[in-house]
Amino acid sequence: MTITRENIEANTAHWRRVLGKDRAPAAGERKLTQAERFAAWSASVHAAERQASASEGRTVVATARASVFTAYQVGDQRYAADGTLWRRTA
């Protein structure tokens, strides 16, 4: 018995029918990679941030900067990141 291209194709077609795999998987049916899944998730989560106008962003930053130094008066006490208590002197 000789192996020819026709025999190989006939055998491949036969076993595809037997195993219920009548067609080869299409290119669009492949699974996404981890990087692609993460990129899709990140895009969905941060869509609202990208849609905000530039003026809104500047307003938020300006408000935060203005309130940092006027949030408490001289003599007020605040806790530092290490837990120590500080009193504002100037």
Side-chain angles (χ1 to χ4, degrees), residues 35-51:
E36 291 169 336
R37 289 193 311 269
F38 179 75
W41 171 82
S42 180
S44 68
V45 169
H46 299 297
E49 293 178 7
R50 284 192 307 276
Q51 291 175 355

Side-chain angles (χ1 to χ4, degrees), residues 48-71:
E49 293 178 7
R50 284 192 307 276
Q51 291 175 355
S53 67
S55 62
E56 290 177 17
R58 284 194 295 269
T59 304
V60 170
V61 171
T63 304
R65 286 182 182 161
S67 64
V68 169
F69 299 107
T70 59

Side-chain angles (χ1 to χ4, degrees), residues 4-85:
T4 62
R5 180 176 294 267
E6 293 80 23
N7 289 346
I8 293 172
E9 290 173 354
N11 286 336
T12 303
H14 168 74
W15 287 109
R16 282 198 170 278
R17 284 191 305 274
V18 168
L19 298 174
K21 299 182 179 184
D22 292 334
R23 59 179 179 83
E29 295 179 10
R30 69 174 182 83
K31 289 186 175 181
L32 297 176
T33 63
Q34 182 180 9
E36 291 169 336
R37 289 193 311 269
F38 179 75
W41 171 82
S42 180
S44 68
V45 169
H46 299 297
E49 293 178 7
R50 284 192 307 276
Q51 291 175 355
S53 67
S55 62
E56 290 177 17
R58 284 194 295 269
T59 304
V60 170
V61 171
T63 304
R65 286 182 182 161
S67 64
V68 169
F69 299 107
T70 59
Y72 60 101
Q73 302 296 322
V74 174
D76 287 348
Q77 295 180 347
R78 289 287 173 106
Y79 285 96
D82 61 356
T84 58
L85 185 63

